[in-house]
Amino acid sequence: MREIGGEGLTVIAGPCTVESREMLLETAECVRDAGAGFLRGGAFKPRTSPRSFQGLGHAALPLLAEARELTGLPVVTEALDVRDVEAVAEVADVVQVGARNMQNYPLLTELGRAGRPVLLKRGISATLDELLMAAEYVTTEGNPDVILCERGIRTFETSYRFTLDLMAVPVLKERTELPVIVDPSHAAGRRELVEPLSLAAAAVGADGVMVEVHPDPDNAVCDGRQSLNCEGFAGYVNRLEGMMATA
Ligand code: PEP
Ligand code: MN
């Protein structure tokens, strides 16, 4: 398994959600070819509206396994519900806990016993203390592999989807040995901001970034506005690597 928190910047990329086998495999190959280290893709989606697409659910899990097989990329996917942890942990190399579930303590406890690294996203109004204590729910169960993810918090500012709190990165690093990554896509809500925020994340010491990529963002089922297309992602990775090399 690849490392997060070692040398260099880990790039996790893929669609917001698994829409179909074809789109997932196409995206997986495009992010692998561009140099991503991990494939992301939600099977179970925490959507603000119950009327929005909720993900393919269990049907997406074999597709993620196939994408992993095809590309060799380890898979990051979210467990939304404690009842799905076992099934998700079977295909996921890293199990994501979404922002809305950061304080779902039964879920965190279950993931502490699931034998997979956990990518824990900061809740939109969670303090760093609360994030660190949420991580402790996992580690207390004997699972030391938690990756913290800053993904934007809610502030009074309405010009972007969330406010990316980059100060969280160096401050978390003062307080924990756990790797810290940044998700600029969900913070920004639009793709133009993904690259500058990623560069800034790298500059403040993030161990990785998680970005949304879709082969046809205009027709994405969710979060198309913040998704890079395959070509855009390839250029993005090149520029990120260029900056890391000269830093
Ligand atoms: C996601 O990464 O797919 C997601 C839903 O993000 P968040 O939980 O940060 O909103
Ligand atoms: Mn999304």
Side-chain angles (χ1 to χ4, degrees):
M1 245 281 272
R2 276 154 237 242
E3 213 185 25
I4 302 178
E7 287 288 297
L9 189 78
T10 302
V11 179
I12 303 169
C16 182
T17 188
V18 178
E19 295 174 16
S20 68
R21 177 174 181 270
E22 290 64 38
M23 78 72 77
L24 179 65
L25 298 184
E26 183 183 347
T27 317
E29 286 192 309
C30 105
V31 301
R32 190 262 327 266
D33 292 347
F38 287 74
L39 173 68
R40 64 150 285 146
F44 300 93
K45 294 304 299 176
R47 302 304 300 280
T48 302
S49 167
R51 296 182 301 280
S52 300
F53 178 64
Q54 305 287 309
L56 293 178
H58 286 275
L61 298 178
L63 304 178
L64 287 163
E66 189 179 349
R68 179 185 198 281
E69 190 70 25
L70 176 74
T71 59
L73 291 180
V75 163
V76 181
T77 195
E78 177 163 353
L80 197 55
D81 189 308
V82 73
R83 291 168 295 186
D84 301 322
V85 164
E86 203 180 322
V88 171
E90 233 170 78
V91 300
D93 295 277
V94 177
V95 180
Q96 178 171 319
V97 175
R100 292 161 184 82
N101 260 332
M102 189 203 85
Q103 288 179 308
N104 181 336
Y105 301 123
L107 180 64
L108 297 171
T109 299
E110 193 65 23
L111 287 169
R113 302 169 182 158
R116 292 283 184 215
V118 173
L119 194 167
L120 179 61
K121 299 188 87 172
R122 181 182 183 185
I124 64 170
S125 47
T127 65
L128 299 185
D129 279 333
E130 288 164 342
L131 174 61
L132 288 166
M133 283 189 280
E136 221 177 294
Y137 271 88
V138 178
T139 56
T140 295
E141 296 300 316
N143 182 354
D145 298 321
V146 180
I147 302 138
L148 303 174
C149 180
E150 162 59 33
R151 48 78 73 214
I153 53 174
R154 175 141 309 154
T155 68
F156 53 82
E157 184 54 70
T158 54
S159 302
Y160 17 82
R161 197 172 177 189
F162 295 95
T163 299
L164 188 63
D165 178 15
L166 284 174
M167 279 197 287
V169 176
V171 173
L172 285 168
K173 289 196 152 283
E174 282 172 359
R175 293 174 51 184
T176 175
E177 299 280 301
L178 298 174
V180 181
I181 69 165
V182 168
D183 171 352
S185 305
H186 287 91
R190 55 194 177 96
R191 73 182 65 87
E192 303 87 298
L193 298 177
V194 168
E195 183 169 325
L197 293 176
S198 300
L199 296 172
V204 292
D207 296 294
V209 288
M210 180 159 77
V211 300
E212 286 188 335
V213 178
H214 191 287
D216 181 12
D218 289 344
N219 291 303
V221 169
C222 60
D223 288 349
R225 187 63 192 84
Q226 69 199 29
S227 299
L228 304 176
N229 64 21
C230 289
E231 198 186 349
F233 178 67
Y236 158 88
V237 172
N238 276 336
R239 290 185 291 276
L240 208 54
E241 280 172 353
M243 189 202 84
M244 296 300 287
T246 54

